[in-house]
Amino acid sequence: MTTTQPITNWTADRLDDLSGKRYLITGGNSGIGFEAAAHLRRAHADVLVAARSASKGADAVAQLKRIPGGGAVHLIQLDLASVESIRQANDAIRTHIDALDGVINNAGIMQTPQLQTADGFELQFGTNHLGHFLLNYLLFDLITARSGRIVPVSSIAHRGVPGINFDDPMFANDYSATKVYSQSKLANLMYGLELARRLEAAGSAVIAVTAHPGYSATNLQSTGPTGILKAIYKVTNRLLAQSPTAGALPEVLAVAGNGARNGAYYGPTMFGDARGPVGESHISDAAQDQDAAARLWALSEELLGITWKIA
């Protein structure tokens, strides 16, 4: 992949004027996704806020519209745990725009009880990985039209498993909320790196840049985990976590920052990459397994019933 100068200590004031640029952010109605939308809007970009809840999404759009100097803001209803909803969102997006400069795969769920998506996938893997894989596939022509960027969003939790459990990817047996979350975040990173390789091999002008927010205090820690985990996060969020505004910076760098490179992985760089200045982040050995990444890509296509050939 193309070698460029490593990015260090990145902040949103390095953004160019993004007037006329268009970005879609999943989960853009709250937390890190909302703050990413706000950063982009301050730089005058048009923003599409994809939200599962229409009412919460509408509230977020109203808040974003109050930011001075920004571009247009649109609401897209999207439930990543439903193939039908993802396909409907794709249709809705095309009523507003005919091209995209970037898509941030921000939405996610964490450490939920053992549940399934509307299509029978394990909820965390289905939402965090498969839902975004399908969305990016459907929107790829719009992204190509602007030589845009796809930004998978991983986590430091990707280091929590030694690899994808290909024998039982949905953890139907021996379910562990934490292991399954870690696997979904490993899948996000492996997918981002594999997508970057495929884009480069095809000579595409689109790039894939993966990001992670470090440990940021958001609704993620309160809406998914249960029991002791939920109680622990109430304490650690106050004592250890950084703000959603800071956690959004790697995503904004990845989708719109100058110098962001295909195949890079950006996030906080201190305290085990949990917080601190934004730059190049640590990638586990498992995430760098190219054979496993190709296998994950094939599995994703099989489960979703699609074939994504990048040419």
Side-chain angles (χ1 to χ4, degrees):
M1 302 200 176
T2 303
T3 301
T4 58
Q5 191 69 21
I7 293 175
T8 58
N9 300 306
W10 192 87
T11 53
D13 58 9
R14 295 195 203 177
L15 286 172
D16 289 339
D17 184 333
L18 300 177
S19 297
K21 301 281 190 178
R22 302 163 178 170
Y23 300 96
L24 172 71
I25 307 169
T26 67
N29 59 292
S30 66
I32 292 165
F34 177 84
E35 296 301 335
H39 282 306
L40 292 168
R41 186 159 163 76
R42 291 185 196 103
H44 313 300
D46 296 348
V47 175
L48 290 87
V49 173
R52 183 173 54 186
S53 165
S55 60
K56 292 179 181 178
D59 289 345
V61 166
Q63 293 180 58
L64 289 166
K65 286 182 175 179
R66 289 196 287 270
I67 296 176
V73 185
H74 301 289
L75 173 62
I76 303 296
Q77 192 161 9
L78 169 67
D79 182 356
L80 287 161
S82 164
V83 166
E84 181 181 5
S85 177
I86 295 166
R87 292 190 177 276
Q88 289 175 348
N90 170 57
D91 293 339
I93 289 164
R94 293 169 190 272
T95 67
H96 295 290
I97 60 169
D98 58 4
L100 274 167
D101 291 277
V103 177
I104 302 178
N105 298 175
N106 167 81
I109 54 175
M110 181 174 81
Q111 294 172 322
T112 63
Q114 189 172 16
L115 299 167
Q116 291 186 332
T117 70
D119 305 284
F121 306 131
E122 186 281 315
L123 186 62
Q124 296 186 77
F125 186 77
T127 301
N128 297 350
H129 171 61
L130 293 175
H132 281 120
F133 188 98
L134 178 60
L135 181 68
N136 295 337
Y137 162 77
L138 294 172
L139 296 176
F140 190 66
D141 63 315
L142 299 186
I143 302 165
T144 300
R146 285 283 183 98
S147 300
R149 304 181 188 182
I150 297 172
V151 179
V153 177
S154 184
S155 165
I156 53 178
H158 87 268
R159 306 170 197 167
V161 287
I164 302 296
N165 182 3
F166 288 109
D167 292 331
D168 185 14
M170 304 301 168
F171 278 80
N173 303 303
D174 195 26
Y175 182 85
S176 160
T178 298
K179 285 183 180 179
V180 171
Y181 176 67
S182 291
Q183 175 179 258
S184 75
K185 293 288 103 180
L186 175 61
N188 290 151
L189 181 50
M190 292 174 69
Y191 159 61
L193 298 176
E194 177 68 9
L195 177 58
R197 288 188 289 267
R198 292 180 182 228
L199 290 166
E200 183 174 56
S204 175
V206 175
I207 64 172
V209 188
T210 309
H212 76 90
Y215 182 12
S216 301
T218 70
N219 292 336
L220 198 66
Q221 292 94 3
S222 60
T223 56
T226 59
I228 188 64
L229 284 174
K230 191 169 187 176
I232 289 171
Y233 288 134
K234 285 183 179 180
V235 176
T236 57
N237 275 11
R238 290 196 301 269
L239 298 179
L240 302 176
Q242 62 180 1
S243 70
T245 303
L249 288 176
E251 294 184 5
V252 177
L253 161 61
V255 83
N258 288 328
R261 60 180 178 84
N262 189 43
Y265 182 46
Y266 298 117
T269 56
M270 295 180 67
F271 305 105
D273 295 342
R275 58 187 299 158
V278 172
E280 306 272 350
S281 198
H282 173 71
I283 301 173
S284 71
D285 290 342
Q288 298 180 66
D289 185 333
Q290 295 188 25
D291 290 338
R295 189 177 177 186
L296 173 64
W297 186 285
L299 174 65
S300 303
E301 289 181 322
E302 178 185 350
L303 291 170
L304 293 166
I306 61 174
T307 301
W308 187 358
K309 300 295 185 184
I310 297 172

